[in-house]
Every structure is written in C-alpha cells, then in structure tokens.
Amino acid sequence: MTTDKKVRVRFAPSPTGGLHLGGVRTVLYNYLFARQHGGDFILRIEDTDQTRFVPGAEEYIFQCLAWAGLEPDESVKQGGAYGPYRQSERKELYRAYAEQLVEKGQAYYAFDTPEELERMRQDFKTEQNPSPQYDHHVRDKMRNSLTLSEEEVDRLLRENTRHVIRIKMPENETVGFTDMIRGDVSFNTSLVDDKVLLKADGMPTYHLAVVVDDHLMKISHAFRGEEWLPSAPVHILLWKYLFGLENMPQWAHFPLILGPSGKLSKRDGAKYGFPVFAMNWTDPKTGELTEGFKEKGFLPEAFINLLAVLGWNDGTEQELFSLEELTGKFSMDRVHSSGAKFDYEKAKWYNHEWIKKLAPEELTRRVRGVLEAKGLSVPDDRLLQHIVELVKDRTTLLTDFYEQTAYFFRMPEHMDITAIQPKWNEAKQLFFTEVIRNYELNTDWNAEVLENNFKEIAAANQLKPGEVMLPLRIMLVGGKFGPHVFDIAAVLGKEETIKRIQHTLGLLG
Ligand code: GLU
C-alpha cells in the first residue's frame, strides 16, 4: 500500500436497475475524494453477470450522474487510458489470472454439475448449517481438480467439460486490512466459501474482475458500501495471490443507509411514499415505474447535500453545503461507521432550503422547465422570476411550483366556491361590484394601490377587510393559498383580475 501515488477512485456499478441513493452517495464520496486530491474518478461498468443484463440500465446510470453533476473523468463515454471500462469487453483478460491461481494451487477447477451441487446442499445440511456452502468442509468430496487425478482433469478440460474456477480459501487463517473508516478489520478464512472466480461461460465473477480491474486501472482507493464488507477477505486474498498486495488500494466501506425498517430498500420507498432512486426507473421486464428524487422535484444541489450528510458531518452545526464547499470540507475520517438514518422529512427540508438558496435566475430557469413540461404557457423570464420569488417560500419540491403558480397563467382549474358560499350575502356582492368599478378606472395597477382602494371600499361598506379578502383570494387563485393577494392581482393585471372576480360573482349569484 502506498499513499504517494496518484489518487484514482472508481464507482463500479452493476447496471441492473435503478440507482439507489446509497449508490449516489458512494459516487459522491468518491468524487469528492478525487477532486480534493487532484485525482481521477472512474466509472467502471461491472456487467459480467450476463443473466442480470437489463437494457437501458447503463445509460440510466450516466443520466443520474449527469443530473447530480458528478461526471466521471474516465468511463465508457469519456474514454481514458485504462479502458475498456465495461467489464464484458474485457472478458478475455481475466482467464489468465484465474489460471495463474490454479497453477499456484490457490484456485482449482470444479466440474460439479448443478445436480451435484444440489445434492451437496442436501447431503451436508444440518440444523446448525441449513445452507451448506462449497468450502473447505466440502471441497474434497466434490468433483474438482483437488480430488480428481491429473489425467482426469486434463481429459475433462480437453473435452471442454463445463467447469468453473474456484478460489481455494485457506483453512483457519486470518485475513485483515485497514479500512479508512472502520480501522482494522479481520476475517477468519474458514468462514468464507470457495467463491467462483471464473464462470462456466468464461466470464469472471465480480470477485475476480474487481480485483484484476482495480489493479489494471491503478485504483488507489476503493470505496464502496458496507454490504461489500463480507466480500473483502476474498478480495484481499486475491490481491495477495495475484499481486503480492503491491499497490492494493486503500479500502473504505461506507455505512448503510437505514430506512424506517432497517436497511433502506426499494420497497421502503413504495411503502412510505418517498423515492429511493436518483431518477425514475422503469423496469423493462415488468413495466413497473419507481419514482426518482429528480422527478419528485428535488434539486440536484439538495440531493447532493442531503446525501453528503448521510454518514458524514464537518464537526460543526452547518447543514447546508454546496458541492464546492463539500469538496473543500469532506474528509474520510469524519465518515461514520454506523448506519445513517434517512429521514424523508429532513430531505424535503434540504430541498426547501436549496430552493431559497439557489440564484433566482437559476431557480426560474428550472421552474420554467417544470411548468412547460406541464403544458403551461409561461411568461418571459422577468415576470416568471417575479412570480417565483413571490411563491418560493411556500414550496418544498420543485414540482410544487406547478400548483403554486399555475393560476397565474390560466384560470384556476378548480374554484373552491364552498369556502365563500356560507358567508356570502348581498352586501358582499355589492362590494365586489364596486371593487370591479373602481379597478376598471384604475390607472396605476400595483399591489399597494389595489389594496388601499379595496380597503377603502370595504370601510365605506362597513365590511371588515378580513371578511372580503378570503373571497378575493378564492376568486383569483381558486383556493385558500398563495402569497399576498394584491401581489397576485398586480401580476394578473387589470383585465384578468376583473374577469376572475366577475366570473366568481356569476357562480355565486
Ligand atoms: N459491482 C459492485 C456493485 O455493483 C461493485 C462493488 C465494489 O465497488 O467493489 O456495487
């Protein structure tokens, strides 16, 4: 292990479905670490399990990273000096490493058929060990190059008999390494099974490919989720056997992200009504759509921020961090080792804060996208920005801007007339008729003038402003929400304001 070499980190997803927020956090921490050290961030597609191939999943990962602003330096798309960056395109190079291990007695050919493996699982099943693995207890009773004669093995190989290559886990040895977050971690090899390294289809398994590629791509630090910790002893041994531990990356395993019921799963999201994927993901087989943070209305800035603090803090009370600030402040020794609880209410708080924090022009640009996608015809930037500023305190998600602003651009779809009706009377009808007359003659259409005139007419009619303000709001907005009602009237303009009052009077009369 050396520390003076160039920092090169990687995110190595298997493109099999939606990108979970834990995955994006892994990307983020990798990205920050690379940026901080002037290093490279590599995206490697680990697609060696062809049975799990999912069309569109790879492209989707790129889209998620682009949305989050965490673009890799090297990848299938960007290219780079260490490609190909898709493991299925590197297939040919792995076998030699597996063969090398067989030659040294650290791995072996196994010819067991699926039926033989199933029989082993039945024969070795005990109460203490209900699902026996292919390990040091079992391997000398199976059909492999440890039990068969050399001639038999040669013959089977010559005849192209289906086989795999398995690592031969040593018995009762301790394998350890220093995790940058957890400190010293060790495993007893007797508890680890003889993982397949090369599959019958000639493809490496994840275990072999990850080690070979981290080596060939000169990865200096390998960061991943805690769920990979149990695989670490296999990887460490492979590093030892293949490369004498030379230039082994420094490892860090990030804490799990916990949902309301343990490890946050995709099902949690569906159950509790919040997203778990970065972006919408549609399973191409079932057509099932799982909503993403993006489509739910999260800003990438907020998403990044909330992920950064799920498992890390800077030791102060600060909660809001931009990507730039994170690049300055993030440090691996402040990443927690225990699980981080995801709180959707808090996630929404981050988004609300970022809506307020974003530059008004930028927020306006994004709101325009949301509104236009909903088919609204949106005014010029200057007016839209004014509207956005009026309502932004009332929004939590970017998508809230639709409900909070649509009435500016067209008649409210629904008029909550029942909120006015019970207290409606002749006096109010006359009052609003007078307001219309007054507003028609108005030559200075601004919120202050409109409010003053409205209040004067109310006073002259012995009405409290409070009694007529709610009806006015409903007339203009359709419901009991929105910013200051005269600010709304000011934006709507004379013609539209009068039209809406008249329209509602018609409904009430
Ligand atoms: N291919 C693994 C995954 O899907 C990568 C784990 C690692 O980073 O070593 O997450």
Side-chain angles (χ1 to χ4, degrees):
M1 261 184 265
T2 53
T3 46
D4 53 355
K5 62 186 174 186
K6 174 149 203 217
V7 165
R8 288 178 54 80
V9 296
R10 84 304 192 272
F11 176 57
S14 299
T16 53
L19 184 60
H20 196 269
L21 73 171
V24 186
R25 189 194 55 183
T26 300
V27 174
L28 175 63
Y29 289 2
N30 269 292
Y31 176 93
L32 293 173
F33 192 82
R35 288 292 88 88
Q36 277 182 339
H37 294 89
D40 302 324
F41 168 48
I42 292 114
L43 176 68
R44 183 174 68 224
I45 299 293
E46 302 212 325
D47 60 345
T48 57
D49 190 349
Q50 300 195 312
T51 60
R52 292 174 72 211
F53 174 76
V54 177
E58 181 184 303
E59 182 53 33
Y60 165 88
I61 291 170
F62 278 97
Q63 286 166 359
C64 291
L65 298 200
W67 172 65
L70 304 172
E71 305 265 13
D73 302 306
E74 293 172 28
S75 75
V76 173
K77 291 219 164 138
Q78 277 84 4
Y82 298 86
Y85 293 92
R86 200 182 277 121
Q87 285 182 330
S88 57
E89 290 169 20
R90 306 168 64 82
K91 178 180 173 187
E92 301 314 323
L93 61 86
Y94 302 106
R95 176 171 278 275
Y97 290 94
E99 301 274 4
Q100 178 191 327
L101 293 172
V102 176
E103 257 158 56
K104 292 200 284 178
Q106 292 154 335
Y108 57 91
Y109 298 111
F111 300 94
D112 316 274
T113 62
E115 296 72 37
E116 286 166 335
L117 291 172
E118 185 48 38
R119 201 172 324 129
M120 175 276 280
R121 284 186 209 107
Q122 296 308 327
D123 291 352
F124 288 87
K125 193 155 134 185
T126 62
E127 216 164 288
Q128 292 80 10
N129 187 11
S131 39
Q133 300 182 332
Y134 203 119
D135 61 11
H136 68 100
H137 295 293
V138 165
R139 64 185 170 222
D140 54 358
K141 304 184 183 67
M142 304 298 289
R143 268 185 349 108
N144 54 48
S145 57
L146 303 173
T147 58
L148 301 172
S149 69
E150 211 169 303
E151 298 74 56
E152 180 68 356
V153 171
D154 284 346
R155 185 184 65 79
L156 289 170
L157 289 178
R158 244 190 346 266
E159 290 171 3
N160 279 331
T161 313
R162 266 179 89 78
H163 67 276
V164 299
I165 294 180
R166 288 180 180 272
I167 186 169
K168 186 179 172 201
M169 283 308 273
E171 258 178 82
N172 208 19
E173 273 182 24
T174 302
V175 171
F177 69 97
T178 305
D179 187 284
M180 289 170 75
I181 298 168
R182 281 147 223 280
D184 289 341
V185 188
S186 61
F187 301 84
N188 184 312
T189 52
S190 290
L191 301 175
V192 186
D193 59 318
D194 289 357
K195 295 264 185 267
V196 172
L197 301 178
L198 201 77
K199 292 180 279 189
D201 63 3
M203 275 287 195
T205 57
Y206 154 68
H207 301 292
L208 178 63
V210 79
V211 169
V212 168
D213 286 346
D214 282 351
H215 165 79
L216 293 176
M217 295 184 179
K218 295 201 165 52
I219 300 301
S220 62
H221 297 78
F223 305 150
R224 56 190 182 184
E226 187 184 322
E227 62 275 24
W228 298 102
L229 197 53
S231 302
V234 180
H235 302 163
I236 306 287
L237 273 183
L238 287 174
W239 267 98
K240 183 171 155 194
Y241 294 160
L242 289 171
F243 312 116
L245 293 180
E246 199 175 328
N247 286 329
M248 181 169 78
Q250 277 184 266
W251 300 92
H253 292 84
F254 300 136
L256 293 179
I257 297 184
L258 305 173
S261 47
K263 184 174 184 253
L264 189 67
S265 75
K266 179 181 146 191
R267 280 161 303 280
D268 276 335
K271 201 157 61 192
Y272 298 104
F274 57 75
V276 291
F277 290 158
M279 285 172 63
N280 273 5
W281 169 252
T282 305
D283 185 320
K285 270 208 208 89
T286 62
E288 188 198 352
L289 170 79
T290 311
E291 195 178 29
F293 279 90
K294 173 176 184 258
E295 290 79 2
K296 188 83 187 172
F298 278 80
L299 300 170
E301 290 83 355
F303 188 52
I304 290 298
N305 191 157
L306 71 94
L307 288 181
V309 298
L310 264 178
W312 169 87
N313 66 58
D314 76 338
T316 73
E317 297 293 300
Q318 184 173 347
E319 293 189 279
L320 298 179
F321 299 94
S322 65
L323 190 57
E324 208 183 310
E325 270 179 287
L326 288 169
T327 307
K329 294 191 169 175
F330 178 77
S331 78
M332 207 54 121
D333 43 76
R334 294 204 65 89
V335 176
H336 315 155
S337 57
S338 54
K341 184 104 191 224
F342 174 72
D343 174 352
Y344 187 54
E345 291 310 310
K346 188 73 191 194
K348 287 195 292 188
W349 177 86
Y350 278 106
N351 207 58
H352 177 65
E353 292 304 312
W354 269 100
I355 282 178
K356 292 190 288 180
K357 204 166 144 68
L358 218 57
E361 302 73 33
E362 182 55 25
L363 179 62
T364 303
R365 196 181 65 76
R366 304 210 200 162
V367 171
R368 174 180 293 282
V370 170
L371 302 182
E372 288 181 347
K374 285 278 204 175
L376 289 176
S377 72
V378 186
D380 62 70
D381 277 347
R382 199 190 51 79
L383 181 57
L384 181 59
Q385 185 171 320
H386 174 64
I387 295 170
V388 166
E389 289 295 301
L390 282 180
V391 305
K392 71 179 186 186
D393 280 349
R394 293 160 200 282
T395 61
T396 304
L397 300 169
L398 200 54
T399 41
D400 293 342
F401 277 95
Y402 174 69
E403 195 190 309
Q404 291 295 336
T405 64
Y407 60 85
F408 283 106
F409 316 122
R410 55 155 169 67
M411 278 290 261
E413 268 175 346
H414 171 74
M415 271 285 176
D416 188 7
I417 209 90
T418 55
I420 320 180
Q421 254 157 353
K423 291 189 178 162
W424 193 249
N425 57 28
E426 189 70 26
K428 288 183 188 168
Q429 183 89 19
L430 288 172
F431 164 79
F432 276 101
T433 315
E434 210 176 319
V435 169
I436 292 175
R437 259 203 309 275
N438 177 286
Y439 281 6
E440 268 169 351
L441 299 174
N442 179 298
T443 50
D444 187 13
W445 193 263
N446 71 61
E448 208 183 328
V449 171
L450 297 176
E451 178 166 6
N452 287 341
N453 292 0
F454 187 88
K455 286 185 173 163
E456 276 164 25
I457 303 167
N461 284 274
Q462 274 97 47
L463 286 165
K464 289 198 209 83
E467 290 178 82
V468 276
M469 217 99 109
L470 176 73
L472 178 64
R473 172 176 297 284
I474 303 225
M475 289 168 182
L476 301 186
V477 173
K480 294 186 203 168
F481 64 95
H484 188 52
V485 69
F486 297 102
D487 284 337
I488 298 173
V491 172
L492 287 177
K494 184 193 274 194
E495 200 184 320
E496 186 65 19
T497 301
I498 292 173
K499 187 174 129 195
R500 291 192 189 182
I501 299 175
Q502 256 160 354
H503 172 77
T504 325
L505 288 183
L507 295 176
L508 287 160

